[in-house]
Amino acid sequence: MRRLTLGSLALLLLLVPLIRGQEVNGDDGRPTCRRCDLHHCCNCSHSGFTRVPMVTDQALRLDLSFNNITNMTKDDLMGHSRLRALDLHANGLAEIHPSAFDSLWSLEELDLSDNQLTVLNPKWLKNLAILENLNLLNNPYSRLGSPSMFFGLVRLRRLMFGGPALKELRRTDVFGVTELEDLTVHANNLASYDSGTLGDIWPLGRVTLRLHGPFLTNVALAAAVLTDVSYPETPIVLEDLHLIGNHSVLPFRESAKKRIRSLSFRNFSVSDATLVDFLMALNGDPLSYLHVEDVTLTGEGRWEKANKTDYKSIDEFFLRNAVVVDIYKFVSFLQLGFLLYYPRKVSVINCGVFVMPCETSKLLVNLQYLDLSDNLLTDLTTAESLCHGAPTLKELRVLNISGNPLKSLSMISHLVTNLLKLTHLDISRTLYSSMPSSCSWPSTLKYLNISRAKLTATTSCLPRSLEVLDLSYNNLKGFSLDLPLLRELYLSGNKFLGLPAGQPFPNLQTLTMQFNTLNMFGLSDLQSFRRLENLQAGYNKFICTCDFVNFLQSQLKQNGNVKLTDRKDGYVCDSPLHLQGELVSQARLSVEVCHRVLFVSVSCGAALLVGLLLCVLLWRLHVFWYLKMTWAWLKAKRSSQKQRRATADSEALLSFDAFVSYSERDAGWVESFLIPELEEPSEDGSSSTSSSRPLSLCLHKRDFLPGHTIMDNIMSAIERSRRTVFVLSENFVQSDWCRYELDFSHFWLFEAGGDTAILILLEPLSKDDVPKRFCKLRKLMSSTTYLEWPQEEERRPEFWRSLRNALRGDND
């Protein structure tokens, strides 16, 4: 029992790596990862590896993130000279051999973030001369180290370093970094900084800084860092800031001297008083882009001092996810309206805005882009914000009020009618449930988005000037409006059963129909669109008929003029049942299903051919004759049984000694020889003895009953006679009626036995002259003695004597 348990445990331990996408290599115990695509990109993340797995030496990208690799040896990556990107994010990596990356001289991207590296070794990067992106974020090192980690990385363009443990930055720490497109420094707990450390990096692109601690406790340090990266061409992003009091905005005074133009805040906490101080600190600075996201605002909304500031240079103002801590004491943002007077692009998203006063709107003379999405605007407050349709916002080109509780489409169309330069309107994620029969729109409107509403039908309310229309995720079942300029139409997430007709959209190039109830579509549907190039129709309930499967498989191979630009795995069969859940691209239907008419035709033709061959075979084997004779015999048998029931003694039916079957051409011999000899008394008049008494013969000329069919007469004559005499000759074989008599007698032979037939050969005749189907008679001719008519007269008495004895039988 213990052995079984240990064996099972060993098997389980062996299977665990396999279950998690690993294979164990028996040579050195290293796991193997085989999850590489055709582009030699290997995704080995989330696989539970504790060592660097073996992968193909052709790999160009290797993702080992979210594993448990704590140690890297010098041989782990040996032979991967072609590798361009290596991701070791979130492994708990604590130790890396100094030569671990020496063979990676083609490496361009290296991610070592979120590990346990307490010391950074410059030798790791000594051979990575073409490295462009390096991520060292969130490791527990307190300093970058000396000599510089980055010496010799002349092509480095994206650098990220720092974390909660970073305490100091020295002038020599970033020696060798000459220019960057993106610099990210996480230094929330930075305590020591050499002025000019980051100032030597030039040109410098986007900079992202986390300086939460310095802004609170060491503003001089924060100012030094911020000043080193402040350039007019460098966008600055500040994360995790908490500005409290006038002293916390002092670093911005130094930055203002550098005339920064782009400033962004993320995860930003500020009071109204500090915000006023900030605006005053940057007063007159040529700031053109101000981006604030995830901001928490405290205070009562007192902005009087800020009204004296000058921000005419602001071109774009972006505010998203603003939260006011004590909303009931907060006055308003109206006194900050001056920040919106000059920008051409304003976005206030998810900030609880329920109205923008018309007086404020009138002052937005330069505004070209306005985004008020995800707020609390209603139809009435939107009317106030847009001045009830008055010709304000004359320069506005893009308006986004999506995600607001709007209900009247006719009202919004009226409000934007006089926005004579409006080209883009987004009113998606609203409460529109119906569409008026007619609407007024600006003639310049080209892009309209009414997706994720509750529309059930469309009308001519939609402007004919549209080039892009998005009606996705409504409750539409049809769409047939004439939109001659429309180039893109988005109808996903509705209830369409088929593609819309293409005639109303002569210029349509892109159509999306995903997540509807489409059953199928075909070439004729696509040909109705004159210029359609791209179609997305996956994730529907497709009925996989033969025509649809063949057509779609051809389209998925990009064989047609229209390209299916969505994923192949979105096209799945919903029916028939045996194909449910199978990809259309892999569906296979049988010939019986796909070519039913041809299959039926071929099957019927084959069955007919087989039937004909069978009939020929049965005819050759005389089966039809046997069936016909069997039927006739059964009828005659039934008739005979009725006669026997009517007569007590069955012997009474035997009326003749013999039935004579002969050909009409042999009638002369029968009448001249056979009848006189057998039926007439002998010349000596002695008829008392059995050997000389006359016999009773049945002849068809005189004994067949009138009113009965010939077949019935033949069968009756054979049955009522003790013997059947066949007068065989060439004439007999050629006679049709003689053949019938042979047929019936053939069956009678099976019933009465072989001694009922007597064969007389008028002329020499072999058994081969008898038809093969008369197998019993042919057998009799070969096994039974028959009588031959002698041509010599002296032998004829003996012939008659033998014939009489045969007719009378042993009993007589």
Side-chain angles (χ1 to χ4, degrees):
M1 182 67 181
R2 182 178 180 182
R3 182 178 299 176
L4 178 61
T5 303
L6 292 176
S8 301
L9 180 59
L11 179 61
L12 179 61
L13 293 176
L14 182 63
L15 288 177
V16 166
L18 299 178
I19 294 172
R20 305 182 72 172
Q22 305 178 26
E23 294 182 15
V24 177
N25 189 299
D27 297 334
D28 59 0
R30 286 179 60 188
T32 300
C33 177
R34 303 186 185 277
R35 294 185 299 185
C36 301
D37 60 20
L38 297 177
H39 302 288
H40 303 294
C41 297
C42 302
N43 183 5
C44 304
S45 62
H46 296 90
S47 299
F49 290 118
T50 57
R51 296 185 60 185
V52 175
M54 297 181 65
V55 296
T56 173
D57 57 4
Q58 302 297 314
L60 299 179
R61 304 183 70 88
L62 177 57
D63 186 355
L64 293 172
S65 60
F66 298 99
N67 282 292
N68 300 311
I69 303 171
T70 58
N71 179 47
M72 288 190 65
T73 68
K74 63 178 181 179
D75 298 325
D76 284 345
L77 295 171
M78 189 68 66
H80 292 286
S81 58
R82 300 185 60 193
L83 197 64
R84 296 180 182 177
L86 175 62
D87 188 350
L88 289 164
H89 170 75
N91 267 281
L93 190 61
E95 184 178 353
I96 300 177
H97 192 276
S99 303
F101 304 133
D102 282 0
S103 62
L104 307 182
W105 50 74
S106 298
L107 198 67
E108 298 174 354
E109 302 177 20
L110 176 60
D111 189 345
L112 296 173
S113 61
D114 292 292
N115 283 292
Q116 299 298 322
L117 299 173
T118 57
V119 177
L120 301 180
N121 192 337
K123 294 183 179 180
W124 296 343
L125 310 180
K126 62 182 180 180
N127 288 339
L128 307 183
I130 65 172
L131 190 68
E132 297 180 0
N133 300 335
L134 176 60
N135 188 348
L136 299 170
L137 288 173
N138 299 327
N139 281 280
Y141 51 83
S142 60
R143 57 171 298 179
L144 293 179
S146 182
S148 173
M149 282 278 298
F150 317 111
F151 183 77
L153 302 181
V154 295
R155 298 182 61 177
L156 191 65
R157 294 296 178 266
R158 188 165 184 244
L159 174 60
M160 294 174 281
F161 66 86
L166 185 64
K167 296 296 183 181
E168 63 177 41
L169 281 175
R170 300 303 177 191
R171 189 79 180 256
T172 58
D173 288 349
V174 293
F175 183 74
V177 180
T178 56
E179 62 177 288
L180 290 176
E181 297 174 0
D182 195 338
L183 172 63
T184 299
V185 179
H186 290 185
N188 284 334
N189 298 313
L190 190 65
S192 177
Y193 177 80
D194 287 351
S195 181
T197 299
L198 300 179
D200 293 335
I201 304 174
W202 176 258
L204 183 59
R206 179 187 180 92
V207 176
T208 302
L209 300 175
R210 290 187 180 180
L211 298 170
H212 180 82
F215 266 92
L216 290 177
T217 61
N218 193 345
V219 293
L221 186 151
V225 176
L226 193 59
T227 301
D228 280 351
V229 297
S230 294
Y231 300 99
E233 299 84 4
T234 302
I236 298 177
V237 180
L238 296 172
E239 298 179 343
D240 299 341
L241 279 190
H242 183 38
L243 302 183
I244 299 177
N246 182 44
H247 70 283
S248 62
V249 300
L250 291 178
F252 295 103
R253 296 183 187 277
E254 298 299 324
S255 297
K257 297 177 181 179
K258 293 288 193 79
R259 304 183 68 79
I260 58 175
R261 296 178 183 175
S262 176
L263 186 59
S264 301
F265 296 92
R266 293 177 182 168
N267 193 18
F268 180 46
S269 177
V270 65
S271 66
D272 56 350
T274 306
L275 183 56
V276 171
D277 293 336
F278 169 80
L279 293 174
M280 295 181 67
L282 294 178
N283 183 28
D285 186 78
L287 192 65
S288 61
Y289 178 80
L290 182 58
H291 181 115
V292 182
E293 188 170 0
D294 299 322
V295 57
T296 301
L297 185 62
T298 60
E300 298 179 356
R302 305 298 180 180
W303 319 105
E304 289 82 1
K305 295 181 181 180
N307 288 331
K308 300 177 182 180
T309 57
D310 178 12
Y311 283 91
K312 295 180 181 179
S313 61
I314 291 184
D315 185 67
E316 181 176 349
F317 177 78
F318 183 94
L319 176 62
R320 180 163 60 191
N321 302 337
V323 176
V324 179
V325 174
D326 201 344
I327 188 66
Y328 298 104
K329 295 181 180 181
F330 202 83
V331 179
S332 71
F333 288 98
L334 292 179
Q335 292 180 346
L336 291 178
F338 68 92
L339 294 174
L340 308 180
Y341 292 166
Y342 303 102
R344 292 182 302 169
K345 187 174 182 180
V346 173
S347 300
V348 182
I349 304 170
N350 192 28
C351 295
V353 175
F354 61 90
V355 67
M356 183 175 69
C358 178
E359 295 301 321
T360 303
S361 299
K362 291 178 180 180
L363 299 175
L364 307 181
V365 292
N366 297 321
L367 193 63
Q368 298 180 8
Y369 180 101
L370 178 59
D371 187 348
L372 295 174
S373 59
D374 297 306
N375 283 292
L376 302 174
L377 297 174
T378 64
D379 293 327
L380 292 179
T381 58
T382 303
E384 171 63 21
S385 302
L386 297 178
C387 298
H388 302 279
T392 57
L393 302 175
K394 295 182 179 180
E395 299 297 321
L396 191 64
R397 289 167 170 78
V398 179
L399 175 61
N400 185 351
I401 52 176
S402 62
N404 285 282
L406 305 175
K407 296 182 179 180
S408 176
L409 186 59
S410 60
M411 176 173 286
I412 194 63
S413 68
H414 168 70
L415 294 176
V416 301
T417 300
N418 292 319
L419 302 180
L420 301 181
K421 292 186 177 181
L422 188 69
T423 58
H424 294 66
L425 177 60
D426 189 343
I427 48 177
S428 61
R429 297 183 290 118
T430 52
L431 302 178
Y432 298 135
S433 59
S434 62
M435 188 177 293
S437 58
S438 62
C439 303
S440 58
W441 301 94
S443 59
T444 55
L445 190 61
K446 297 180 179 180
Y447 303 84
L448 179 60
N449 187 350
I450 324 180
S451 63
R452 299 184 184 275
K454 299 180 179 180
L455 296 175
T456 58
T458 56
T459 68
S460 55
C461 170
L462 296 176
R464 292 171 58 86
S465 61
L466 289 179
E467 295 181 6
V468 178
L469 176 60
D470 191 346
L471 292 171
S472 303
Y473 297 97
N474 282 279
N475 295 314
L476 301 177
K477 297 181 179 179
F479 185 74
S480 59
L481 298 177
D482 289 328
L483 298 174
L485 302 179
L486 196 66
R487 293 184 291 106
E488 298 178 17
L489 178 59
Y490 301 92
L491 296 173
S492 297
N494 284 283
K495 298 180 180 179
F496 285 85
L497 296 176
L499 297 182
Q503 291 79 4
F505 319 112
N507 290 299
L508 191 67
Q509 299 175 13
T510 300
L511 174 63
T512 65
M513 296 291 296
Q514 297 176 321
F515 298 103
N516 277 277
T517 55
L518 291 181
N519 296 137
M520 64 183 68
F521 58 93
L523 182 61
S524 60
D525 297 317
L526 301 184
Q527 289 177 341
S528 66
F529 297 91
R530 297 180 185 177
R531 301 180 60 187
L532 188 63
E533 298 176 358
N534 304 308
L535 173 64
Q536 294 183 1
Y539 306 101
N540 281 285
K541 298 183 179 298
F542 293 116
I543 299 176
C544 287
T545 62
C546 299
D547 293 338
F548 175 71
V549 169
N550 292 334
F551 163 74
L552 194 60
Q553 289 178 349
S554 175
Q555 290 297 126
L556 289 172
K557 295 177 182 177
Q558 309 298 341
N559 292 335
N561 296 327
V562 180
K563 296 181 180 179
L564 298 177
T565 56
D566 48 352
R567 295 167 57 93
K568 291 183 179 181
D569 56 11
Y571 295 86
V572 179
C573 296
D574 186 66
S575 64
L577 189 60
H578 69 280
L579 290 178
Q580 193 173 49
E582 186 170 348
L583 296 180
V584 177
S585 59
Q586 300 177 359
R588 296 293 181 269
L589 294 170
S590 63
V591 177
E592 177 185 358
V593 176
C594 290
H595 306 283
R596 190 176 299 276
V597 175
L598 178 62
F599 179 79
V600 171
S601 300
V602 172
S603 299
C604 292
L608 181 60
L609 179 61
V610 171
L612 290 175
L613 294 176
L614 183 60
C615 290
V616 171
L617 179 62
L618 294 178
W619 178 77
R620 293 285 295 179
L621 297 176
H622 310 292
V623 173
F624 295 118
W625 173 80
Y626 284 114
L627 293 176
K628 182 176 67 175
M629 289 298 99
T630 301
W631 176 247
W633 172 252
L634 292 174
K635 289 175 61 179
K637 190 72 174 176
R638 183 180 180 185
S639 176
S640 174
Q641 290 174 352
K642 290 181 179 180
Q643 292 180 2
R644 287 173 179 170
R645 283 195 298 267
T647 307
D649 186 5
S650 59
E651 284 296 324
L653 292 176
L654 298 175
S655 306
F656 304 97
D657 291 306
F659 167 69
V660 182
S661 175
Y662 59 93
S663 171
E664 283 294 329
R665 295 182 180 180
D666 298 325
W669 181 85
V670 172
E671 295 174 355
S672 300
F673 294 96
L674 184 64
I675 293 176
E677 183 65 32
L678 297 181
E679 287 191 335
E680 295 178 4
S682 59
E683 293 180 358
D684 57 4
S686 176
S687 59
S688 58
T689 64
S690 60
S691 60
S692 61
R693 72 173 178 83
L695 299 174
S696 175
L697 302 179
C698 179
L699 304 176
H700 66 267
K701 282 187 176 182
R702 71 182 188 194
D703 297 316
F704 278 9
L705 298 176
H708 294 264
T709 63
I710 296 177
M711 290 184 182
D712 287 343
N713 276 318
I714 293 174
M715 182 59 71
S716 176
I718 293 174
E719 193 174 32
R720 293 170 59 196
S721 303
R722 290 187 176 89
R723 303 285 187 272
T724 299
V725 177
F726 291 102
V727 181
L728 300 181
S729 66
E730 289 291 339
N731 297 328
F732 181 93
V733 173
Q734 300 299 324
S735 172
D736 290 336
W737 291 114
C738 290
R739 292 168 67 90
Y740 272 117
E741 292 167 357
L742 278 173
D743 291 344
F744 284 113
S745 63
H746 181 272
F747 275 87
W748 181 252
L749 291 175
F750 289 102
E751 178 73 13
D755 58 350
T756 60
I758 299 174
L759 306 182
I760 299 176
L761 270 65
L762 290 185
E763 57 189 24
L765 188 68
S766 69
K767 68 174 182 178
D768 293 332
D769 295 326
V770 180
K772 293 182 179 180
R773 62 177 178 271
F774 304 119
C775 56
K776 187 70 175 179
L777 294 177
R778 291 167 60 88
K779 183 178 180 180
L780 287 174
M781 291 184 65
S782 61
S783 61
T784 304
T785 303
Y786 48 82
L787 299 176
E788 293 186 18
W789 173 248
Q791 299 299 326
E792 302 83 359
E793 289 190 11
E794 60 272 13
R795 295 179 53 194
R796 289 177 182 175
E798 182 64 24
F799 169 83
W800 295 118
R801 185 168 54 255
S802 298
L803 179 58
R804 287 191 183 92
N805 292 335
L807 289 175
R808 290 191 175 95
D810 296 338
N811 294 334
D812 295 333

